[in-house]
Amino acid sequence: YWLILALFGRALNDIRRRIVVGAGLGLIALCSLYWIAPVCISGPYGPIDPFLKRVWLDHVGEASGILAQQSLGRSLAYGGLAATGLIATAAFAWREPRKRWLWAMPLAALAASVAMMFVQLRGAYLGAALGAPALAHLIVSARTRGNMLLLAGTWLISAGLVYRLADRPPPTAPEARRAASAPACGGAAHIAALRALPAGTIIAPIDLGPHIIAMTRHAVVGAPYHRNNDGNRAIYALFLDGGSGSRLIADHWQARWIILCPDSFSEAPGLDDPTMLANRLKA
């Protein structure tokens, strides 16, 4: 796609021609993708196991839209910079008629990224990067005016860390603070304890997988990667089973250790079943 545009770059010396040809090539690429790999049209989460989607992925904030987040602060923390970049890009496209076609391409890409955030929060990552040129231009424009207050304001709205401050937990009661200060499952103390164990395969809650892989010698069956259907489904099957199936699953994966956190599988169906392995271990 990009190579074709580069080969005919001299012929496409007009920005309008570039946009038309680029849109045409994009349509051809999309049709080719549907013909060669139709599974890609279903999105990154299309091939995921329906059970895993219901009990795990639907509870992952990154995989849901910006309006489905836990709080307004979380939505602002992720999408604030992309939205600000979109506003700045649109403003420059409006105020600079001679360069409007130059602003049109980043404006279209930013608008697509912000629209994607309403479906999946992951669109914020691309939007933040695409908004950087316009925000840099905004800072330069404020600097040329010589107004220090205006310059400080543009610096603040262009800094991603400022938006992250919006995602701060509310004040909690002393009991909740004491509970929060307790060692987290998968924290430093628990990782150190895992390092002391002989190396082997571990079946643990999904979110612990990356920590175990990165900081110990152990292998894991599951981790928060949506393409790992077999391993992630095995985790739920082992802990939610109420009979001998758990032993069969552990033997199949040659698991040497299993880990359970106090709040694990709270989203799973049938959690009140006392025969489930998870409940038996918690008891």
Side-chain angles (χ1 to χ4, degrees), residues 20 22 77 207:
V20 171
D207 290 340

Side-chain angles (χ1 to χ4, degrees), residues 176-199:
R177 284 197 293 269
R178 283 195 294 270
S181 64
C185 190
H190 293 160
I191 293 296
L194 285 176
R195 286 201 196 102
L197 296 174

Side-chain angles (χ1 to χ4, degrees), residues 6-32:
L7 287 173
F8 295 96
R10 292 184 179 180
L12 303 175
N13 53 4
D14 183 70
I15 187 66
R16 301 183 186 185
R17 290 183 181 179
R18 294 178 185 177
I19 293 176
V20 171
V21 173
L25 289 174
L27 182 61
I28 294 173
L30 186 63
C31 295
S32 301

Side-chain angles (χ1 to χ4, degrees), residues 41-192:
I41 305 300
S42 62
Y45 303 129
I48 193 171
D49 184 282
F51 174 82
L52 290 174
K53 183 181 185 306
R54 186 174 70 254
V55 302
W56 169 60
L57 190 64
D58 287 348
H59 301 274
V60 177
E62 185 187 54
S64 56
I66 196 167
L67 299 180
Q69 299 306 306
Q70 299 175 350
S71 64
L72 178 61
R74 175 64 59 84
S75 300
L76 184 61
Y78 277 88
L81 191 62
T84 305
L86 175 63
I87 295 171
T89 305
F92 285 124
W94 177 261
R95 291 175 54 188
E96 301 177 2
R98 294 182 179 180
K99 298 180 179 179
R100 189 162 293 167
W101 283 103
L102 288 176
W103 288 110
M105 295 183 71
L107 180 61
L110 261 169
S113 300
V114 171
M116 188 190 304
M117 290 193 307
F118 287 89
V119 181
Q120 289 184 19
L121 198 59
R122 301 199 306 174
Y125 307 146
L126 181 60
L130 291 171
L135 294 173
H137 192 45
L138 184 66
I139 293 171
V140 172
S141 299
R143 182 179 296 165
T144 56
R145 295 188 181 186
N147 188 325
M148 295 303 297
L149 187 61
L150 178 63
L151 180 60
T154 55
W155 272 110
L156 285 174
I157 65 172
S158 303
L161 289 176
V162 172
Y163 299 96
R164 291 298 299 169
L165 294 175
D167 188 23
R168 300 186 67 181
T172 56
E175 295 80 6
R177 284 197 293 269
R178 283 195 294 270
S181 64
C185 190
H190 293 160
I191 293 296

